[in-house]
Amino acid sequence: QVQLVESGGGLVQAGGSLRLSCAASGRTFSSYTMGWFRQAPGKERESVAVISRTGNTYYADSGKGRFTISRDNAKNTVALQMNSLKPEDTAVYYCAARARLYIATMTNEYDYWGQGTQVTVSS
């Protein structure tokens, strides 16, 4: 069992930056593939960025060049650095864990989810 707790959301002006963090419980964090997803009002939850246990990364087109995912296995944390934020980045951001090796981008491929943190970007 893995418990995930996100932090770092908030209100920021367009062009600004936020750093989201996800703290995970459990001794096997390093074996999980970790992902960040987001869900805007009236839209489906979508993948933003994923990092495998070996450090391979995936970014959705929406965040390429602006977002950076990283993990610290010693601290059981995964972070999402978001720069040059746009109003369309406004959403609830979720951390998710997948107990399999390969990167995945579909919500039903993840086993554990955090409660989410709100990110609001004003124009």
Side-chain angles (χ1 to χ4, degrees):
Q1 188 77 8
V2 175
Q3 292 185 326
L4 304 172
V5 179
E6 303 97 335
S7 61
L11 174 65
V12 64
Q13 289 188 333
S17 298
L18 280 175
R19 183 177 179 85
L20 306 183
S21 184
C22 174
S25 65
R27 302 179 183 177
T28 58
F29 173 79
S30 61
S31 67
Y32 284 84
T33 292
M34 301 298 298
W36 284 99
F37 290 74
R38 68 186 183 186
Q39 188 166 18
K43 295 188 176 181
E44 292 187 354
R45 195 170 297 188
E46 63 180 5
S47 176
V48 175
V50 180
I51 187 165
S52 74
R53 64 186 188 188
T54 58
N56 293 325
T57 57
Y58 158 86
Y59 295 95
D61 288 343
S62 58
K64 282 181 181 177
R66 301 188 299 125
F67 295 176
T68 302
I69 189 171
S70 60
R71 67 189 298 162
D72 185 336
N73 290 335
K75 296 182 179 179
N76 282 15
T77 58
V78 60
L80 184 68
Q81 177 68 42
M82 303 187 294
N83 299 327
S84 303
L85 283 162
K86 306 174 182 179
E88 50 264 44
D89 294 319
T90 295
V92 177
Y93 283 71
Y94 297 90
C95 175
R98 166 181 162 86
R100 283 169 286 279
L101 173 63
Y102 299 107
I103 285 179
T105 61
M106 304 299 291
T107 56
N108 61 4
E109 295 177 293
Y110 283 78
D111 304 299
Y112 304 102
W113 292 86
Q115 293 299 307
T117 185
Q118 176 71 47
V119 171
T120 303
V121 185
S122 63
S123 57

